Amino acid sequence: MSALSPLQLLPQHVIQLIVHNVAGSSRLVLDGVDANSHEYRALLKPLLWVCRSFRFAVYSRYCNNFELSLCDMSVDSLEKQYLGLGHTSVDYRMLNYLGYSTHRLAKDITLFLEERAVYSGEALEALSRSLCDVCPFPLARKILFVFVKDERADIDMDAWSDPLLAGSNIDAFVGRIKQMAPSVSEIGMQPVVRDSTPSVFNQHFSNLVSQLYRLASRVEYGYGLDTADLMRLQLDRICSLTHVTYVSTSRTDGAHQFVQLARKNALTLQSLSFECGHDLFASGLVQDADGNHVAYPRLLKLKLQSWSDSDEPRRPVFCDAVPFPVLRRLYIDTDYPFGDNTLFRGNAATLEVLNMRLDHSSVSILREYKVFVSGSHPKLQVVNISFTTNFVLELLASTSEAVDFIFSIGSGAAVRVYNQVTPFANPAAIFSSLDSHACIQVLLLPNWRPVLWQVITLVESLPLLSDLQTSSPSLGLMPDGVTLYRLPEHMRLNYAPMGRRFRCWHICSGHVKKFTELVNCVLLVALACPNFDYAAPPSFQRKLFMEQMETNIALDRFKPYAPRLRRLLFKGWLNC
């Protein structure tokens, strides 16, 4: 038996990285010439013949997703889609290289179709013509049904409005879906939004959705019809769900009906996500219409997100309830919806990840109920904190009491602090005055335009900081008696080594005319921080940024430190 080649001995994650960069690089050079997209995609075909590991890496990148539109029912259109010729996405172009049978590896399927086509039987005919295999998607785990508007003007209402005929066609369509993807466990639904909806549509759609949802243990419903009757019809038919996701940007949506769906499946749910235009649904999750408490004994992940513009949100109190006793991941991207510690009650020993948007009221509530005291959450590993606009303004004008509370949340955890709504005047001054700031590892302040010395102070104040995001920096005022020429030496002598964990600086915006100053700031911070090796400006500016960095490193004042600074060049070009 012949020995394996060095390529075959590479670890799988290295092989996946090679495939990813060959296919997705925006700066690939072949024989000294920039390659166009067609050429570097063609390079993937030879990788299929290296070994099984390379084939697996290529297939897993390009064959996980499959899209099929049943809106154009012509045979020619369906054949092109099936063969991967009718779409512009790279996944389908790759099918030309990888072979047409690779759809059998797909795990996520997206079907674009019209409601009327299902009720009339045309969708089933289109599936039969385009997918000849009995089981074309044996590995599929999720199917997303995207219903689109029917733009045809010659629709014969009588052809599909008969309940018996439509019901029979729906049964056959769902049966074919189950046959072509027998392992599916998640069904997603994006219904068409109509100005006016015929009642017969609601009856048929209710039948269709309830049958499709019964194929899976996970359901996802997004941007749908505001039809309370439709949702009520489904509630009696859908049970034993493990995952429910509801997404809508409307304030007048079916959120309350999906709250009922969540309560009905409370004993089996493991993941629950609500994203909608108001925050009135939270109390309905933990208490039914009769005032009875609802518990979710298996729920591991809860996400609550809303776009409410309420100045003073209602915050009900449920003193005795323990609704989420084993929760591990909690995401609160809305005003804290309760007047007590309802979301945190009973899960202190299990909570591992917390994403939370803070305002002054939520801080007061959680402090009052002593939610976060030393050692109260032993498994909490990651804390992501964002701020409301008003809370940032309060921080700037108040004592450090509220800020101290923020960092007491993450005692012993990796803390990410994110503020986008209002720029801090000087976050370096705020964080440097705290005693409990050591837990911060990631600080994202995309609207803050710092000067060099503020960045230095910030990194020095946060010994565990590894990632920083700011707007474009400037040099600011020079220290007394220090010229620009002597500044690199000054940084090296007076600040190095500091920020030993600091590695990455994301810069959200940069002025091309001031690239020299921006690059100077990056190089000076690198001289103070021994492990800082990656500066990331916006992607469309990276090439100019890296070229300017090469120019600056060649200047006399930076030449003595060129070996150290070239580490920034290496990683920067690698990510261009």
Side-chain angles (χ1 to χ4, degrees), residues 175-351:
R176 177 60 179 137
I177 294 295
K178 184 176 181 179
Q179 185 183 47
M180 73 182 199
S183 301
V184 68
S185 61
E186 181 174 356
I187 295 292
M189 200 75 59
Q190 290 188 11
V192 61
V193 179
R194 299 175 179 277
D195 297 329
S196 61
T197 305
S199 59
V200 68
F201 261 96
N202 293 343
Q203 296 169 18
H204 297 338
F205 191 65
S206 171
N207 184 16
L208 173 62
V209 170
S210 62
Q211 288 202 47
L212 288 174
Y213 277 167
R214 278 184 286 177
L215 297 178
S217 60
R218 306 180 178 205
V219 301
E220 178 180 330
Y221 191 93
Y223 309 105
L225 298 169
D226 177 22
T227 310
D229 291 337
L230 171 65
M231 293 291 98
R232 291 192 188 100
L233 285 171
Q234 294 171 16
L235 290 178
D236 295 334
R237 307 182 186 186
I238 306 173
C239 59
S240 301
L241 295 175
T242 60
H243 294 67
V244 170
T245 300
Y246 178 81
V247 181
S248 176
T249 56
S250 172
R251 289 183 60 86
T252 58
D253 49 31
H256 291 290
Q257 285 68 45
F258 264 80
V259 167
Q260 295 178 46
L261 179 65
R263 291 202 303 257
K264 179 180 176 63
N265 293 272
L267 295 179
T268 57
L269 276 179
Q270 299 175 23
S271 174
L272 180 58
S273 178
F274 273 82
E275 302 175 36
C276 63
H278 58 78
D279 55 5
L280 305 179
F281 56 81
S283 59
L285 291 174
V286 300
Q287 181 175 280
D288 64 19
D290 298 324
N292 301 312
H293 295 318
V294 181
Y296 300 78
R298 298 184 180 181
L299 194 70
L300 304 178
K301 175 185 174 182
L302 176 63
K303 180 177 181 180
L304 305 176
Q305 181 175 355
S306 77
W307 299 271
S308 173
D309 55 4
S310 173
D311 293 332
E312 194 60 42
R314 292 189 298 173
R315 288 187 165 102
V317 175
F318 301 95
C319 293
D320 299 325
V322 184
F324 311 110
V326 297
L327 199 63
R328 295 181 184 176
R329 295 173 173 266
L330 177 58
Y331 304 86
I332 311 172
D333 192 7
T334 180
D335 295 320
Y336 184 71
F338 296 100
D340 57 12
N341 60 341
T342 294
L343 291 179
F344 297 93
R345 198 176 297 137
N347 51 47
T350 60
L351 194 64

Side-chain angles (χ1 to χ4, degrees), residues 428 431-434 437-438 456-463 498:
F431 294 123
S432 63
S433 65
L434 302 176
H437 53 235
I456 294 296
T457 301
L458 189 65
V459 174
E460 198 171 27
S461 302
L462 304 175
M498 58 170 277

Side-chain angles (χ1 to χ4, degrees), residues 16 70 132 136 183 253 322 359 393 397 476 501 531 543:
Q16 290 174 345
L70 303 181
C132 301
S183 301
D253 49 31
V322 184
D359 61 5
L393 298 176
R501 300 283 187 94
N531 294 312
K543 186 176 181 180

Side-chain angles (χ1 to χ4, degrees), residues 330-576:
L330 177 58
Y331 304 86
I332 311 172
D333 192 7
T334 180
D335 295 320
Y336 184 71
F338 296 100
D340 57 12
N341 60 341
T342 294
L343 291 179
F344 297 93
R345 198 176 297 137
N347 51 47
T350 60
L351 194 64
E352 299 174 357
V353 177
L354 173 64
N355 282 30
M356 192 169 184
R357 190 174 80 189
L358 290 178
D359 61 5
H360 188 74
S361 296
S362 60
V363 170
S364 299
I365 292 168
L366 298 180
R367 283 176 63 88
E368 178 185 351
Y369 284 86
K370 297 181 172 60
V371 173
F372 296 101
V373 295
S374 179
S376 62
H377 293 75
K379 291 188 177 181
L380 190 60
Q381 301 172 5
V382 178
V383 177
N384 297 325
I385 299 171
S386 60
F387 305 127
T388 64
T389 303
N390 290 336
F391 190 46
V392 172
L393 298 176
E394 290 170 2
L395 283 177
L396 298 176
S398 68
T399 64
S400 63
E401 179 179 293
V403 189
D404 279 328
F405 168 75
I406 293 172
F407 302 125
S408 71
I409 294 177
S411 178
V415 177
R416 293 166 55 97
V417 178
Y418 178 56
N419 170 56
Q420 184 180 29
V421 290
T422 302
F424 278 114
N426 185 3
I430 294 176
F431 294 123
S432 63
S433 65
L434 302 176
D435 295 327
S436 55
H437 53 235
C439 56
I440 301 178
Q441 294 187 14
V442 180
L443 187 59
L444 308 177
L445 305 170
N447 286 327
W448 180 42
R449 190 179 298 277
V451 298
L452 173 64
W453 309 111
Q454 290 175 331
V455 175
I456 294 296
T457 301
L458 189 65
V459 174
E460 198 171 27
S461 302
L462 304 175
L464 296 184
L465 186 70
S466 63
D467 290 69
L468 175 65
Q469 182 186 58
T470 71
S471 188
S472 181
S474 61
L475 285 174
L477 298 176
M478 299 290 166
D480 291 340
V482 179
T483 64
L484 181 61
Y485 184 84
R486 300 296 300 274
L487 197 53
E489 182 183 14
H490 176 82
M491 298 296 295
R492 195 74 168 173
L493 294 176
N494 292 277
Y495 294 98
M498 58 170 277
R500 292 184 179 274
R501 300 283 187 94
F502 185 57
R503 295 182 179 277
C504 183
W505 186 1
H506 296 271
I507 300 166
C508 294
S509 63
H511 299 287
V512 175
K513 293 182 179 179
K514 296 184 178 180
F515 259 11
T516 299
E517 187 171 5
L518 188 159
V519 170
N520 280 338
C521 289
V522 169
L523 296 178
L524 291 168
V525 170
L527 292 178
C529 303
N531 294 312
F532 170 47
D533 60 4
Y534 183 45
S539 57
F540 67 92
Q541 293 181 332
R542 283 181 189 169
K543 186 176 181 180
L544 289 173
F545 179 82
M546 297 309 301
E547 290 171 349
Q548 184 64 55
M549 185 178 290
E550 288 183 339
T551 299
N552 285 27
I553 291 176
L555 296 175
D556 289 343
R557 60 177 179 270
F558 287 113
K559 268 186 179 179
Y561 314 104
R564 158 70 184 98
L565 299 177
R566 289 192 179 280
R567 283 167 46 196
L568 288 166
L569 281 176
F570 174 76
K571 196 161 187 179
W573 280 124
L574 193 63
N575 288 275
C576 268

